[in-house]
Amino acid sequence: AQSVAQPEDQVNVAEGNPLTVKCTYSVSGNPYLFWYVQYPNRGLQFLLKYITGDNLVKGSYGFEAEFNKSQTSFHLKKPSALVSDSALYFCAVLKSSGDKLTFGTGTRLAVRP
Amino acid sequence: GAGVSQTPSNKVTEKGKYVELRCDPISGHTALYWYRQSLGQGPEFLIYFQGTGAADDSGLPNDRFFAVRPEGSVSTLKIQRTERGDSAVYLCASSRGSGRTDTQYFGPGTRLTVL
């Protein structure tokens, strides 16, 4: 069975500080991993994905994520948080033999001024 | 260019009624997906189309749910005899093709409320 876990319901950070949103996965074979962001009353917006290659993936809006195979993690990071980054973040994994995404339960990021 | 669009944005219906939710994918995208997002949860897969055919419908919860994509573009999700438990946001996504690395782009969703 495949799954993805986001252990934190909410992450609080001050504007200008670095942020990390955690994600771990459990999937057979090579994982394909994704991060999406959801703003209120809007659909999911794609941030970045890891397919293969460099473990550090750079995405939209200054976000990046590091794939760590030994720790089965794919944490989302940003060096300097903005208030406008406040939103709901979802990690997702794609099964190696299929096309459907399995999402985590989401982490709410709150960036205070 | 235009993204994925979904109509209506909100739908309120009564228990037992029939509803249709529409999805317009990004032009040229051959793959189309439906997901359902309940309050406080991540989206859950319902069905995936490659062209006109349903390649994977393993996520449909029961036979009250059905989806079509007759011309390989617009898709309609149909729910018969709605139940209060069907209340959720229904999300549609599309991608260029069937490659696993193709990014799925999501629409804004339809919020369904069953009274």
Side-chain angles (χ1 to χ4, degrees):
Chain A
Q2 63 166 10
S3 68
V4 59
Q6 294 181 245
E8 304 156 315
D9 289 336
Q10 179 150 336
V11 170
N12 299 302
V13 64
E15 187 174 31
N17 284 0
L19 69 88
T20 298
V21 183
K22 295 180 180 178
C23 172
T24 59
Y25 66 89
S26 171
V27 61
S28 56
N30 294 321
Y32 299 138
L33 297 157
F34 299 76
W35 276 102
Y36 285 84
V37 60
Q38 188 172 40
Y39 294 98
N41 300 317
R42 295 175 66 178
L44 296 166
Q45 295 181 31
F46 170 73
L47 282 178
L48 51 80
K49 64 183 178 184
Y50 172 81
I51 304 300
T52 187
D54 195 348
N55 288 343
L56 184 63
V57 179
K58 294 189 182 296
S60 306
Y61 312 120
F63 284 94
E64 57 189 29
E66 186 170 10
F67 172 66
N68 187 317
K69 189 171 184 178
S70 62
Q71 297 185 3
T72 63
S73 67
F74 189 56
H75 300 332
L76 182 70
K77 300 182 180 184
K78 188 173 182 181
S80 179
L82 300 172
V83 172
S84 57
D85 292 330
S86 299
L88 190 55
Y89 290 80
F90 288 97
C91 181
V93 64
L94 194 63
K95 188 168 61 174
S96 60
S97 61
D99 296 272
K100 53 189 176 186
L101 290 169
T102 297
F103 286 86
T105 52
T107 298
R108 186 165 300 281
L109 174 66
V111 182
R112 61 184 182 275
Chain B
V4 178
S5 63
Q6 293 185 244
T7 54
S9 55
N10 282 283
K11 176 70 176 178
V12 180
T13 191
E14 295 179 343
K15 179 176 178 296
K17 299 290 188 182
Y18 168 82
V19 297
E20 289 189 351
L21 312 178
R22 176 188 169 105
C23 172
D24 274 277
I26 293 171
S27 178
H29 280 194
T30 61
L32 186 146
Y33 310 78
W34 284 98
Y35 292 82
R36 178 168 71 173
Q37 186 176 17
S38 300
L39 194 63
Q41 300 296 317
E44 294 180 322
F45 170 80
L46 295 176
I47 186 169
Y48 154 56
F49 288 90
Q50 183 55 241
T52 60
D56 183 351
D57 64 358
S58 62
L60 295 178
N62 52 59
D63 61 6
R64 295 187 297 105
F65 288 74
F66 189 71
V68 296
R69 196 185 184 199
E71 298 179 356
S73 179
V74 171
S75 176
T76 303
L77 178 66
K78 307 180 180 190
I79 310 175
Q80 299 177 325
R81 304 183 305 279
T82 51
E83 301 177 356
R84 291 191 180 87
D86 298 335
S87 296
V89 176
Y90 289 81
L91 297 168
C92 177
S94 70
S95 67
R96 283 185 307 170
S98 62
R100 295 193 297 275
T101 60
D102 291 343
T103 299
Q104 295 180 30
Y105 295 94
F106 284 77
T110 294
R111 182 177 298 278
L112 175 66
T113 302
V114 181
L115 301 177

